[in-house]
Amino acid sequence: MDIIDASVPSSPSLLGTFRYNGARGNGGDVNGVTVNNGFAYIITTSTTNTSLCIVDVHHPQSPTLFTTLEDLPCEGTETVTSIAMHGTTVYYSCEGTFGIIDIKDASSPSPQLLGEYTAQVFDFIVDGNTVYLASYAQLLVLDVSTPSSPRLVDSHFIPAVVYDVGIAVSGGRVYVASHGLYVFGRFTPTAHTSAPSTSTPPTTTSTSAPSTTPPTSGPSTPVPDGTPAPVRTAMTHGRLWLL
């Protein structure tokens, strides 16, 4: 992991570097990072192990390992696809598992695995006690109000295999970008009391070809054949950005 000073965007500089050799000395690739309260939370994978490394970055020139949580659920050597943190909870996903970790105290983290959900996950977004998972040709909706037992409460069909994907939540909608833009209603717990269903196809809007100007909220045009799919999304000021 490299720590970059980007306070002068035209001239970024390297501040510090952290390397983790794995709990068993067999190395570890960094597959995701999020930073909170002076600690960097890193998911690393090796041929035999997936770990959460918590690195003290209060002094970015000399980052040091604070603690680790080893042997996280992650099928074989599958790639970790995303990591996020909300409060004192870390969420991560790999190609076979979605996991929830409690760090207990943000000023002195002590990580403990709380729960997991088995699914092929390529990206996710946390929305309070609801998590949206992009899983192959589906958007899965999990209730994580009880972290030890994440529960599937809804699902939607996506007419595309969502390997390269981004998810955004804004207002009453969920946006999934993968070889097109798919728009769903935001999950409302009181409106879903029956078993989840995949029978209703989503509202679909195609994305426009990449350009040098920001996207607008107006109508979009179909993606030409061969145009790369957007792989990240963000919402700001009523506009959806596809990267």
Side-chain angles (χ1 to χ4, degrees), residues 1-218:
M1 178 186 73
D2 293 332
I3 303 175
I4 308 296
D5 182 354
S7 57
V8 181
S10 61
S11 182
S13 59
L14 179 66
L15 288 180
T17 298
F18 173 80
R19 296 287 181 263
Y20 181 61
N21 197 35
R24 299 173 180 86
N26 57 349
D29 296 327
V30 174
N31 293 104
V33 60
T34 187
V35 180
N36 181 63
N37 201 39
F39 293 93
Y41 296 80
I42 303 169
I43 298 291
T44 69
T45 56
S46 67
T47 55
T48 59
N49 185 34
T50 299
S51 309
L52 172 68
C53 297
I54 302 179
V55 181
D56 187 336
V57 293
H58 286 90
H59 304 286
Q61 293 83 1
S62 55
T64 57
L65 182 65
F66 185 80
T67 190
T68 66
L69 179 60
E70 304 292 341
D71 298 314
L72 292 177
C74 195
E75 298 295 329
T77 58
E78 291 175 343
T79 301
V80 172
T81 54
S82 194
I83 182 173
M85 186 171 184
H86 290 256
T88 58
T89 305
V90 174
Y91 304 86
Y92 77 94
S93 64
C94 62
E95 293 176 4
T97 305
F98 171 77
I100 304 174
I101 299 169
D102 181 17
I103 65 163
K104 300 178 183 177
D105 182 354
S107 62
S108 182
S110 178
Q112 176 186 1
L113 181 67
L114 292 180
E116 60 182 286
Y117 183 83
T118 301
Q120 298 288 331
V121 183
F122 296 98
D123 198 9
F124 68 85
I125 191 167
V126 181
D127 181 26
N129 286 326
T130 302
V131 178
Y132 300 92
L133 308 178
S135 177
Y136 277 116
Q138 294 185 90
L139 177 68
L140 304 180
V141 185
L142 298 187
D143 177 356
V144 294
S145 56
T146 304
S148 59
S149 55
R151 182 171 61 94
L152 180 68
V153 291
D154 205 359
S155 60
H156 302 278
F157 172 71
I158 300 174
V161 178
V162 289
Y163 291 112
D164 297 324
V165 62
I167 307 177
V169 175
S170 180
R173 296 187 176 93
V174 180
Y175 300 84
V176 179
S178 181
H179 301 276
L181 176 62
Y182 307 95
V183 183
F184 304 89
R186 197 170 186 172
F187 178 75
T188 304
T190 56
H192 293 73
T193 57
S194 59
S197 170
T198 60
S199 59
T200 304
T203 301
T204 305
T205 304
S206 297
T207 58
S208 59
S211 68
T212 56
T213 58
T216 68
S217 57

